[in-house]
């Protein structure tokens, strides 16, 4: 997505951050445009959906399928950048033991914490602070203007009354002068309670009552509050809300009861999208989620809605399934990726890499992966290349004595270990 000329503008610290994350097997989401190649068809159709369907009031759920190493997290990060460029609010949440999809209130909390958009910083607190600053751009609003604003917020279609009242309470907290005897510390403490409620944190009904908020965030209302967040984002100049929920496959390791609760939430999100507006959810999954007995097919209410996903032999770039495994990067694209990473490594460590790690070596790494039936594993290619660049930068000449077959095996073993660590603990069985 970035040209080589733009890549050359990276600062050494930024370049090093990219290399450090890739060496660990992580995706430096902030910088993915600097090393994104290929899969143009998927991205073209997603961008078209965002600009011409979701931004016009549409809603959609899509599943992004690929094996470990196929580049799902990288691809989700690219979607995040596209959505931000198009003017959406975006939240990218990795589903983990602490953020399980069967506890949607915890997912809602993570969504608010990871929110990006047309505001400085990350998270709903920064969104709300910028909204308050905007209200006072010309002059601080009067009580009459605050009353009009509250009426407008309450009447926005789809807005939850508690969400509207919390926004109004924040504005009053900021702009209404202190009452006689009231201390600024009390005002600040009140503001913190309201922010905490927006973030899905634990606050009591008693603490919330003075602000006209009558419900704490819970399992029952979290999806409704998510809708209200989307309504508010649009009210504040965004084109809608894009949710990126990564690693849904962690559900498979859970007990049957928790899997069922998780799949019920997925079903509800799919059903909600049929009535939602300006809203797009992407779930990343491994193929087992669609194929295994512990996957979607174990929950009839969900399976009846998704059973047709992935059954067609011909790829449909507008379909529900984004199948990365069936659309791997080509050798030519991997070499292009290798050139990007080589340049980033050069900037990172201030050296010249092309003589030690020429294009021919990049081709050989691809050829070797292809011989072993592993060409689709982008993460494996990246892991090998970073290791080769590291060795070369430290004075070892990889072209002379590097056993590529042995190197790909050791890199794959490292990845397998990372995969095991990623899946552990096999919690809640």
């Amino acid at each position: 997505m970035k040209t080589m000329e733009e890549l050359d503008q990276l600062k050494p610290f930024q370049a090093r951050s990219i290399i450090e994350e890739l060496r660990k097997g992580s995706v430096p989401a902030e910088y993915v445009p600097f090393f994104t190649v290929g899969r143009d068809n998927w991205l073209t159709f997603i961008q078209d959906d965002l600009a011409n369907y979701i931004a016009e009031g549409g809603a959609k759920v899509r599943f992004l399928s690929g094996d470990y190493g196929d580049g799902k997290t990288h691809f989700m990060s690219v979607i995040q950048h596209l959505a931000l460029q198009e003017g959406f609010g975006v939240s990218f949440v990795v589903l983990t033991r602490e953020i399980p999809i069967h506890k949607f209130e915890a997912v809602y909390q993570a969504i608010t914490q990871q929110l990006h958009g047309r505001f400085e910083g990350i998270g709903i607190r920064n969104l709300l602070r910028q909204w308050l600053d905007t209200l006072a751009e010309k002059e601080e609003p009067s009580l009459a203007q605050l009353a009009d604003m509250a009426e407008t917020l309450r009447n926005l279609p789809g807005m939850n009354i508690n969400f509207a009242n919390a926004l109004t309470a924040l504005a009053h907290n900021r702009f209404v002068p202190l009452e006689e005897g009231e201390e600024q510390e009390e005002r600040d403490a009140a503001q913190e309670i309201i922010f905490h409620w927006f973030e899905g944190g634990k606050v009591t009904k008693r603490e919330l009552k003075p602000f006209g908020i009558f419900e704490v965030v819970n399992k029952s209302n979290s999806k409704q509050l998510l809708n209200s967040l989307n309504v508010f984002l649009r009210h504040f100049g965004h084109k809608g809300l894009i949710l990126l929920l990564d690693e849904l496959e962690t559900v498979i390791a859970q007990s049957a009861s928790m899997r069922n609760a998780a799949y019920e939430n997925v079903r509800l999100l799919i059903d909600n999208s049929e009535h939602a507006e300006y809203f797009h959810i992407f779930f990343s999954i491994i193929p087992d989620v669609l194929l295994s007995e512990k996957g979607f097919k174990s929950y009839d209410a969900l399976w009846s809605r998704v059973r047709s996903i992935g059954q067609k032999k011909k790829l449909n770039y507008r379909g529900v399934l984004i199948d990365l495994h069936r659309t791997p990067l080509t050798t030519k694209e991997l070499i292009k990726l290798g050139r990007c990473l080589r340049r980033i490594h050069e900037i990172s460590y201030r050296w010249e890499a092309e003589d030690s790690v020429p294009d021919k070596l990049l081709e050989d790494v691809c050829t070797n992966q292809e011989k072993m039936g592993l060409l689709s594993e982008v993460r494996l290619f990246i892991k090998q290349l970073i290791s080769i660049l590291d060795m070369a930068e430290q004075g070892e000449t990889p072209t002379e004595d590097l056993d590529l077959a042995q190197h790909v095996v050791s890199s794959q073993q490292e990845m397998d270990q990372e995969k095991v660590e990623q899946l552990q603990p096999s919690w809640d069985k």
Side-chain angles (χ1 to χ4, degrees):
M1 295 170 73
K2 297 281 188 183
T3 65
M4 274 292 182
E5 288 72 25
E6 290 172 307
L7 196 153
D8 283 338
Q9 303 305 312
L10 275 174
K11 295 177 180 175
F13 175 78
Q14 294 172 312
R16 191 153 180 169
S17 298
I18 295 171
I19 298 297
E20 293 287 347
E21 289 299 310
L22 292 175
R23 190 183 287 121
K24 289 187 293 187
S26 304
V27 176
E30 185 181 352
Y31 297 109
V32 291
F34 289 98
F35 56 100
T36 293
V37 300
R39 287 167 174 151
D40 296 339
N41 273 352
W42 291 119
L43 294 173
T44 298
F45 284 96
I46 289 170
Q47 191 161 23
D48 179 68
D49 267 351
L50 292 174
N52 300 311
Y53 181 58
I54 306 300
E56 298 296 326
K60 202 166 184 176
V61 176
R62 298 189 83 180
F63 294 91
L64 197 158
S65 176
D67 271 326
Y68 294 106
D70 280 351
K72 297 188 297 297
T73 302
H74 180 108
F75 196 83
M76 296 275 267
S77 300
V78 176
I79 295 173
Q80 181 181 29
H81 281 269
L82 286 178
L84 287 171
Q85 283 174 6
E86 292 292 335
F88 289 90
V90 186
S91 192
F92 186 159
V93 173
V94 180
L95 300 170
T96 64
R97 180 178 186 174
E98 290 73 30
I99 312 169
I101 188 72
H102 73 269
K103 292 183 178 176
F104 195 77
E105 63 275 26
V107 178
Y108 173 80
Q109 193 174 36
I111 288 169
T112 63
Q113 290 169 351
Q114 296 301 320
L115 188 65
H116 291 69
R118 291 178 165 178
F119 54 92
E120 294 293 326
I122 303 170
I124 193 170
R125 189 177 290 233
N126 286 312
L127 166 71
L128 294 168
R129 281 188 171 133
Q130 190 149 327
W131 170 66
L132 291 170
D133 289 345
T134 305
L135 290 178
E137 261 180 358
K138 293 180 181 175
E139 58 179 348
E140 293 197 351
S142 64
L143 283 175
Q145 288 170 322
L146 289 174
D148 289 343
M149 182 206 70
E151 190 67 13
T152 299
L153 289 170
R154 280 194 287 269
N155 288 324
L156 290 173
M159 174 62 80
N160 174 277
I161 185 66
N162 290 292
F163 203 99
N165 286 351
L167 290 168
T168 303
L170 260 188
H172 275 258
N173 180 285
R174 167 80 175 266
F175 299 116
V176 175
L178 291 174
E179 295 179 3
E180 188 175 347
E182 184 182 11
E183 300 289 337
Q184 184 60 46
E185 288 77 11
E186 296 173 50
R187 192 63 72 90
D188 293 342
Q191 184 192 59
E192 185 61 27
I193 290 171
I194 304 168
F195 275 142
H196 207 50
W197 180 82
F198 275 114
E199 292 169 334
K202 288 185 179 177
V203 283
T204 65
K205 287 186 178 180
R206 186 174 179 179
E207 289 174 306
L208 295 170
K209 193 174 178 181
F211 311 115
I213 307 169
F214 301 105
E215 290 182 347
V216 297
V217 178
N218 56 42
K219 181 180 179 180
S220 302
N221 63 18
S222 50
K223 295 183 188 68
Q224 192 180 9
L225 294 177
L226 183 65
N227 289 337
S228 295
L229 173 60
N230 189 10
V231 171
F232 176 64
L233 280 167
R234 285 191 288 116
H235 177 69
F236 191 45
H238 293 73
K239 291 184 178 176
L241 176 61
I242 310 300
L243 286 189
L244 300 155
L245 301 181
D246 199 9
E247 300 186 9
L248 181 61
E249 63 269 18
T250 52
V251 172
I252 292 177
Q254 293 178 282
S255 67
S257 62
M258 290 183 179
R259 273 203 312 274
N260 288 344
Y263 291 151
E264 174 64 8
N265 275 338
V266 175
R267 182 192 71 79
L268 287 172
L269 286 168
I270 293 173
D271 287 357
N272 285 350
S273 73
E274 292 175 4
H275 308 289
E277 294 178 318
Y278 309 94
F279 190 49
H280 202 332
I281 304 180
F282 294 86
F283 290 101
S284 88
I285 58 174
I286 59 172
D288 269 2
V289 174
L290 295 175
L291 301 173
S292 80
E293 295 304 315
K294 290 184 178 179
F296 289 166
K297 63 176 62 173
S298 68
Y299 192 69
D300 288 343
L302 173 60
W303 187 237
S304 63
R305 287 162 176 75
V306 301
R307 66 168 65 244
S308 62
I309 293 177
Q311 288 185 347
K312 293 180 180 176
K313 291 182 179 177
K314 197 166 183 178
L315 284 171
N316 179 359
Y317 289 97
R318 292 201 187 276
V320 175
L321 186 69
I322 301 168
D323 195 336
L324 296 188
H325 195 63
R326 288 179 63 192
T327 51
L329 297 188
T330 63
T331 297
K332 188 177 176 182
E333 289 167 339
L334 280 174
I335 291 170
K336 187 177 178 184
L337 170 63
R339 290 187 189 123
C340 292
L341 295 177
R342 184 175 63 196
R343 182 66 190 125
I344 294 170
H345 201 281
E346 286 180 334
I347 297 169
S348 176
Y349 299 103
R350 300 178 178 84
W351 72 299
E352 297 293 330
E354 195 163 345
D355 288 343
S356 306
V357 186
D359 284 1
K360 176 66 169 61
L361 182 54
L362 303 181
E363 289 178 32
D364 291 344
V365 172
C366 292
T367 303
N368 198 54
Q369 271 195 218
E370 190 170 17
K371 281 180 186 173
M372 302 177 80
L374 301 170
L375 188 63
S376 66
E377 294 201 15
V378 184
R379 189 186 297 178
L380 178 62
F381 175 79
I382 292 173
K383 197 162 194 67
Q384 288 193 87
L385 185 57
I386 298 295
S387 171
I388 290 169
L389 286 163
D390 283 347
M391 288 189 299
E393 190 266 334
Q394 292 166 46
E396 295 185 35
T397 308
T399 51
E400 291 180 357
D401 53 6
L402 180 64
D403 182 342
L404 284 174
Q406 190 275 331
H407 193 252
V408 74
V409 170
S410 62
S411 296
Q412 195 173 32
Q413 286 173 339
E414 285 181 35
M415 285 178 53
D416 288 343
Q417 183 58 36
E418 290 169 4
K419 192 191 303 181
V420 170
E421 290 170 1
Q422 185 181 358
L423 291 175
Q424 288 179 338
S426 55
W427 37 286
D428 300 329
K429 282 184 176 178

